[in-house]
Amino acid sequence: MGYGGLTYLYIPMVVINLSKFIEDHGFEAIPYGHQSDWRAIDNEGNIKNKYSRPVSQGKVRPDVMVHLRIAGFLAGLGEIGYSKLLLTPEFGPRQRIGIIITEAELEPDPLMKPGTICDRCMACVRECPGNAISDKETVKVKLAGIEVEWGKLDCKACNIAFKGAKLIKQEEDDGTLPDYMDPLNGYRVKPSSISPFYKKPKNLYNTGQAICGARCMRACMVHLEKKGILKNKFQKPFRTKPLWSVDWSIPDSNH
Ligand code: SF4
Ligand code: SF4
């Protein structure tokens, strides 16, 4: 529900209905959801080979994807944290973004000054099981004259770790751990300590791979909740127990 449900169900419903509302008032509106599956670039921003072409010279490819978090920042919803997640005063890191492109002229909200929410506590870096967020290297961009910086994300490391997997060199595999996924570029893919599954579960709605459960995001939520700066508050703390992990070196008593 948190991943596929939002991306393929709730975001489209919201942006379509809001677009209809805008069009009922006489302005064109284009609903724009999460387009990762169609975009012309890969996870690292490189143009996908033999995927699409501009309709004529000098034009962009048709599958341009608006950077949703940058759009969220420019719409004045919040700031981009060190984790590269959009953080808002209401929910911290807990939201996904849908966009509507419209010709209606809207009064803009003020942009949020970087550092308003993210205090560089680095909990997101520490709790990532794949060490995918660098604590040293950063990415800097200038948005509407404001310098915005986040930690460099190793998309390949995240792509393995978030599925609950880890790589072992083919020649170092002693067969103790089950094969979690098909081999990848000379590596065996095994379950990591954050997965209780022998095989990666099947995808739902094209997603359902987030065994990691976005530990970066949860670490951020715990931190911001402790600071008491989020407007959306719960009766009980979000985290009440230590993070669990699976020790795959101990035999499973059910087998
Ligand atoms: S989603 Fe998981 S693996 Fe990816 S950066 Fe966040 S904590 Fe790390
Ligand atoms: S966990 Fe800390 S450093 Fe990371 S985005 Fe949240 S507030 Fe910023």
Side-chain angles (χ1 to χ4, degrees):
M1 292 306 291
Y3 208 146
L6 281 176
T7 302
Y8 297 108
L9 192 62
Y10 292 111
I11 292 176
M13 279 167 63
V14 170
V15 290
I16 284 169
N17 284 318
L18 198 48
S19 295
K20 287 184 193 168
F21 173 82
I22 295 169
E23 293 206 332
D24 282 348
H25 286 75
F27 301 101
E28 280 204 42
I30 301 167
Y32 190 99
H34 187 84
Q35 308 290 342
S36 296
D37 295 336
W38 273 37
R39 70 188 173 195
I41 53 169
D42 64 18
N43 283 342
E44 276 141 6
N46 305 310
I47 297 286
K48 285 187 202 160
N49 193 22
K50 295 273 179 219
Y51 178 72
S52 64
R53 51 178 294 177
V55 291
S56 62
Q57 264 203 339
K59 293 202 167 147
V60 295
R61 281 156 212 269
D63 341 83
V64 163
M65 181 163 169
V66 177
H67 195 300
L68 300 168
R69 297 167 194 183
I70 288 180
F73 171 78
L74 290 173
L77 295 176
E79 68 165 299
I80 299 177
Y82 191 84
S83 59
K84 199 182 166 188
L85 292 163
L86 181 74
L87 309 180
T88 64
E90 290 81 12
F91 307 112
R94 293 167 299 134
Q95 62 262 302
R96 305 204 85 187
I97 300 295
I99 290 177
I100 294 165
I101 299 169
T102 179
E103 61 188 358
E105 283 191 27
L106 305 170
E107 200 172 316
D109 286 310
L111 301 188
M112 183 178 278
K113 194 168 163 257
T116 305
I117 302 174
C118 176
D119 59 3
R120 299 291 199 261
C121 72
M122 299 301 195
C124 49
V125 174
R126 285 192 298 277
E127 288 195 17
C128 170
N131 298 320
I133 310 170
S134 172
D135 62 350
K136 291 183 190 69
E137 278 186 271
T138 61
V139 174
K140 283 185 194 163
V141 291
K142 211 161 212 171
L143 306 172
I146 299 177
E147 190 165 278
V148 176
E149 182 182 28
W150 57 76
K152 191 169 178 207
L153 180 71
D154 182 340
C155 289
K156 286 200 178 83
C158 171
N159 191 35
I160 293 294
F162 100 114
K163 291 172 182 157
K166 69 173 182 186
L167 303 179
I168 293 185
K169 277 190 191 152
Q170 205 115 16
E171 58 276 16
E172 288 170 10
D173 179 25
D174 60 8
T176 315
L177 292 173
D179 284 319
Y180 191 65
M181 290 164 62
D182 290 337
L184 190 72
N185 307 329
Y187 288 87
R188 308 293 287 213
V189 187
K190 305 289 181 176
S192 76
S193 62
I194 63 157
S195 180
F197 298 103
Y198 281 77
K199 284 225 171 287
K200 187 187 85 59
K202 286 192 176 148
N203 296 359
L204 289 170
Y205 280 129
N206 204 23
T207 61
Q209 311 203 64
I211 307 293
C212 141
R215 287 189 175 210
C216 49
M217 192 184 285
R218 288 189 283 151
C220 188
M221 168 61 188
V222 170
H223 173 69
L224 297 178
E225 187 184 59
K226 275 193 190 139
K227 281 181 76 182
I229 60 170
L230 300 181
K231 290 186 190 154
N232 168 238
K233 294 188 193 304
F234 293 88
Q235 302 284 330
K236 292 181 186 166
F238 177 70
R239 183 175 289 160
T240 54
K241 293 178 185 161
L243 280 173
W244 56 261
S245 63
V246 181
D247 187 349
W248 280 92
S249 67
I250 298 174
D252 178 356
S253 55
N254 294 321
H255 281 72

